[in-house]
Amino acid sequence: MVRHELAAFLKNRRSRISPADVGLPPGTRRRTPGLRREEVAQLAGVGVTWYTWLEQGRPINVSGQVLDAVARTLKLDADEREHLYRLADVPGGVAGGPADDELDQAVRDILAGLDPLPAAVYNARYDVLAWNQAYAAIFCRMVTVPRCERNALWQMLIGPACCAVMMNREEELPQMVAIFRAAYARHLGEPAWTTFIDRLTVESAEFARMWATHDVTRSWRRTKILKHPAVGLLNLASTSLALGSPAESRVVVYTPADDASRANVQWLYEHKPGLDHDH
């Protein structure tokens, strides 16, 4: 499974680099877009057979120095390079441990203390583990569905329209899938992850298309634009704060980006309180 993912990632990224991008003549009779395997090998300074075996997913030894050369040739950014290291099982990325849904009471107290700022705890798979009242007032469906459906990606892709509709979905969703893809490199072969990905792929052609791009990135601060039927537009800057436990979990805080959004969030918090935390 891991080597298959590595092979698919390398082949995908090779197809994105044109000969002109690396100073090579366009040539003729190219049946597929991008560089040829022998061109990647030449530019990276590695043997053609070795690179072919790497891209075929064969169990060969890989060094960080060689991976760096391949990453430079394929023009991988920092997140993609880290993803490559994880897939090749070479030290150079941040190690991740198994997921654990048990939250410390102190984390729940922090969430409550953040009200009226909406905040929730997510794991690396985008499962929502806990939330505060302000979050529940905005994302009311997320906190009332069965636990197995309490996932931000699932609800955005497959769930029915919620009380808060994502207005910049075309920008936000690819970022979420890319963050999810990078996290998946730490969980290759784990049944909970593979089953979830299989379900998303079957149920959502949109997810299947994005998943096939092999795009990866890390979580970063960005603005979500939501439309709530009770108050209208909400511009919320999301900030992700890593937790020490459970592994790979994070608190995401949604800060109003303007005065109107701040007033609307306050109104929702006061008039439409959410549910208690899930225990």
Side-chain angles (χ1 to χ4, degrees):
M1 174 64 75
V2 176
R3 289 290 176 171
H4 173 76
E5 184 75 9
L6 172 63
F9 180 67
L10 287 172
K11 185 176 181 180
N12 179 277
R13 286 305 184 264
R14 176 167 61 84
S15 71
R16 297 186 179 194
I17 306 296
S18 70
D21 291 335
V22 292
L24 295 176
T28 58
R29 298 164 62 182
R30 288 183 181 268
R31 292 176 296 179
T32 57
L35 296 176
R36 299 187 177 103
R37 285 174 177 168
E38 56 266 27
E39 291 170 334
V40 174
Q42 178 186 357
L43 291 167
V46 300
V48 175
T49 300
W50 183 92
Y51 180 77
T52 299
W53 286 356
L54 180 68
E55 194 175 288
Q56 289 175 341
R58 298 196 187 188
I60 59 176
N61 293 326
V62 186
S63 70
Q65 182 179 3
V66 170
L67 281 183
D68 280 344
V70 172
R72 285 194 299 271
T73 300
L74 297 179
K75 299 186 180 299
L76 303 185
D77 62 24
D79 293 331
E80 292 168 327
R81 176 188 173 279
E82 180 178 326
H83 188 64
L84 175 65
Y85 265 72
R86 291 190 188 280
L87 295 178
D89 194 25
V90 172
V94 180
D100 178 6
D101 287 355
E102 292 302 319
L103 282 176
D104 190 86
Q105 183 59 43
V107 175
R108 299 182 184 276
D109 292 342
I110 290 170
L111 285 177
L114 286 169
D115 276 324
L117 287 180
V121 175
Y122 296 85
N123 64 15
R125 204 168 51 237
Y126 278 105
D127 296 325
V128 181
L129 307 183
W131 55 86
N132 62 10
Q133 300 285 347
Y135 180 93
I138 295 173
F139 302 101
C140 52
R141 176 173 172 78
M142 184 72 73
V143 304
T144 55
V145 295
R147 185 182 180 90
C148 62
E149 297 179 16
R150 206 174 294 158
N151 178 280
L153 266 179
W154 181 266
Q155 291 302 324
M156 185 176 289
L157 286 160
I158 292 147
C162 183
C163 43
V165 178
M166 185 78 65
M167 301 301 290
N168 60 336
R169 186 177 185 277
E170 292 185 1
E171 173 188 354
E172 183 68 13
L173 185 56
Q175 292 289 335
M176 292 176 66
V177 173
I179 292 169
F180 177 68
R181 181 104 208 192
Y184 174 56
R186 301 187 292 271
H187 300 275
L188 293 171
E190 294 182 16
W193 282 75
T194 55
T195 300
F196 182 55
I197 292 166
D198 289 344
R199 289 175 62 205
L200 284 174
T201 302
V202 170
E203 296 290 340
S204 173
E206 187 177 22
F207 174 81
R209 175 178 55 79
M210 294 181 187
W211 190 249
T213 66
H214 288 261
D215 286 342
V216 292
T217 189
R218 65 184 64 191
S219 183
W220 51 285
R221 189 176 186 272
R222 56 195 190 274
T223 299
K224 297 179 184 289
I225 304 173
L226 306 174
K227 186 175 183 180
H228 196 286
V231 296
L233 287 180
L234 297 170
N235 293 302
L236 304 176
S238 67
T239 303
S240 183
L241 307 171
L243 293 175
S245 177
E248 299 182 75
S249 63
R250 62 195 186 277
V251 175
V252 178
V253 184
Y254 301 90
T255 306
D258 51 60
D259 291 340
S261 297
R262 187 172 298 106
N264 288 338
V265 167
Q266 182 69 37
W267 188 92
L268 286 170
Y269 172 66
E270 293 174 353
H271 293 82
K272 297 181 180 294
L275 304 177
D276 291 337
H277 293 172
D278 174 42
H279 297 279

